[in-house]
Amino acid sequence: MEHAGWIDCEKIDELLHQRIRVLVSLDGSDQSSSAFEWVLHGFTQNDRETDLLIVHYYDNTKEYLPPKWRRNAIQADAEAKCTSYLVSKRYLISVRERSPGVKIGVLLCQDIKEQGTSFCVMGFAGRKGKDKHIIGSNVLEVMQRGKCSCVVFKEADPSKLPLKRPAKFVVSTGLNPAATKAFIDALRLSRPGDEIHVVYIRPYLEPHSKESKVTEAIRQKYDSIFEGMKDAAAWPSGKMVKFKDRVVKLVFAPQGINEGIAQALVRYANNFEADFVMVGTNVLRVDKGKPPLGSVSLQIVMEFPGNCVVSSFNPDTDMAVAVK
């Protein structure tokens, strides 16, 4: 039990210090524009090693589109903003015609593979979406086959973005290694001063006077990580102290009566006024014929009104330690 859900310490160091490559999919929608603003003014300004690829696929047959959704307007806006905030070697703007009969999600997955993308940033519903509870088909395609972490934006108002204040992250955790990867991604996306709450929903029937073995294992796991963030001597490589200026907290939130795990997590995130909720997923689920997200993670993504990050964990490359 003690090593359940653990990712090798050396691999954690490698993931945390990899050069971040971000792909932003622009379609002219308010959500994708808000996502672009966050990427451009947010963590890319903190991490000067971040590479940015802005992608827009257009369809020449759609002459009825309003001006702000057309390729020239989207390209001009992206170029103006990038040249104002980034040196030219840090970004690339790709505007390409959509191949007939090919979904944009499929084309994005090809870009993700070719670029070795760390995070794909997209609007939740796309241009057609009006309902925040209906996820866009291209987002589902990227989650299913993109094999990178996906930042899904529901916020359409740039003024509400955490750009001039600390951001708040809620990480849904458990003993599975995908949850650990979600915490790693939260650190990578965060800036100094940001708050990260790692939240485990304690089952309704678990007594507070006596912790279960799962609860004890999660506490021990994150206590060791948090200690490594404070003291270099407490982590094998000492590299975790790079993130000591983040405000981290482990929370055991109670599950209410007649309340599901996802509902309890969303309730906590709403009360905390979180900007992002992080959930993890195993990329090999799809290869086994399963949906890209488990039922609890999918419900969290659908019900949380704010932005979500679906963290991609690959057992073949992320070196999870076997459960003992």
Side-chain angles (χ1 to χ4, degrees):
M1 179 70 71
E2 60 186 293
H3 292 300
W6 189 251
I7 296 177
D8 183 83
C9 293
E10 292 184 5
K11 190 62 182 182
I12 289 178
D13 287 337
E14 180 183 332
L15 291 170
L16 285 173
H17 294 84
Q18 279 180 349
R19 190 179 185 96
I20 298 177
R21 293 180 170 86
V22 181
L23 186 153
V24 180
S25 174
L26 290 180
D27 57 18
S29 68
D30 291 338
Q31 290 175 338
S32 75
S33 297
S34 185
F36 183 39
E37 291 286 335
W38 173 73
V39 170
L40 196 60
H41 299 285
F43 74 98
T44 55
Q45 296 300 315
N46 177 63
D47 187 346
R48 300 290 179 173
E49 298 299 315
T50 304
D51 292 326
L52 183 59
L53 172 63
I54 301 99
V55 176
H56 172 64
Y57 286 98
Y58 64 90
D59 188 340
N60 274 329
T61 64
K62 296 183 177 181
E63 299 179 354
Y64 55 84
L65 292 176
K68 76 170 188 175
W69 287 1
R70 297 185 181 181
R71 57 170 293 197
N72 290 338
I74 292 174
Q75 184 173 3
D77 181 67
E79 289 177 347
K81 290 177 178 177
C82 286
T83 53
S84 298
Y85 293 96
L86 300 174
V87 294
S88 58
K89 67 179 181 179
R90 287 189 58 195
Y91 70 89
L92 175 65
I93 299 174
S94 175
V95 178
R96 285 173 280 173
E97 186 173 6
R98 175 184 178 182
S99 303
V102 180
K103 291 183 179 179
I104 290 178
V106 173
L107 298 174
L108 288 173
C109 289
Q110 294 174 358
D111 290 329
I112 289 168
K113 183 177 180 180
E114 292 172 1
Q115 299 295 325
T117 300
S118 312
F119 297 96
C120 180
V121 184
M122 311 176 66
F124 177 78
R127 294 188 304 215
K128 298 178 182 178
K130 299 296 183 183
D131 189 341
K132 286 189 175 183
H133 297 285
I134 301 176
I135 195 167
S137 59
N138 292 325
V139 177
L140 284 174
E141 183 69 28
V142 170
M143 286 183 184
Q144 186 171 6
R145 308 192 188 282
K147 295 189 177 179
C148 77
S149 295
C150 190
V151 184
V152 185
F153 259 72
K154 293 184 182 179
E155 182 55 66
D157 184 357
S159 68
K160 295 181 180 180
L161 297 176
L163 299 177
K164 296 182 179 180
R165 60 173 175 82
K168 294 181 178 181
F169 296 82
V170 164
V171 181
S172 175
T173 198
L175 288 182
N176 60 84
T180 308
K181 179 58 163 50
F183 172 69
I184 293 171
D185 281 350
L187 288 177
R188 299 178 78 193
L189 292 174
S190 65
R191 298 176 297 169
D194 287 352
E195 297 183 63
I196 303 173
H197 284 197
V198 181
V199 181
Y200 174 69
I201 303 300
R202 291 184 65 164
Y204 175 71
L205 295 177
E206 180 179 322
H208 289 274
S209 58
K210 184 179 181 180
E211 292 185 344
S212 68
K213 290 184 178 180
V214 172
T215 302
E216 290 177 352
I218 290 174
R219 186 183 299 279
Q220 293 173 6
K221 166 180 163 181
Y222 282 99
D223 281 350
S224 65
I225 293 177
F226 293 171
E227 187 62 28
M229 293 172 65
K230 298 176 183 177
D231 182 4
W235 191 258
S237 67
K239 294 180 179 180
M240 284 292 289
V241 292
K242 173 184 176 181
F243 300 94
K244 66 180 180 180
D245 47 14
R246 274 64 166 177
V247 181
V248 293
K249 181 180 181 181
L250 177 62
V251 178
F252 293 96
Q255 179 185 15
I257 188 170
N258 297 325
E259 184 179 48
I261 297 296
Q263 292 172 317
L265 193 286
V266 170
R267 170 173 54 80
Y268 180 89
N270 285 332
N271 291 338
F272 180 52
E273 297 182 338
D275 298 293
F276 298 92
V277 163
M278 319 280 298
V279 298
T281 185
N282 188 322
V283 299
L284 299 187
R285 286 178 58 90
V286 175
D287 296 342
K288 297 177 182 178
K290 299 179 180 180
L293 281 177
S295 57
V296 173
S297 294
L298 180 60
Q299 189 176 356
I300 290 171
V301 171
M302 300 301 289
E303 293 191 5
F304 179 61
N307 312 311
C308 298
V309 181
V310 179
S311 293
S312 174
F313 169 75
N314 190 335
D316 293 339
T317 59
D318 294 340
M319 295 171 60
V321 174
V323 175
K324 291 189 176 182

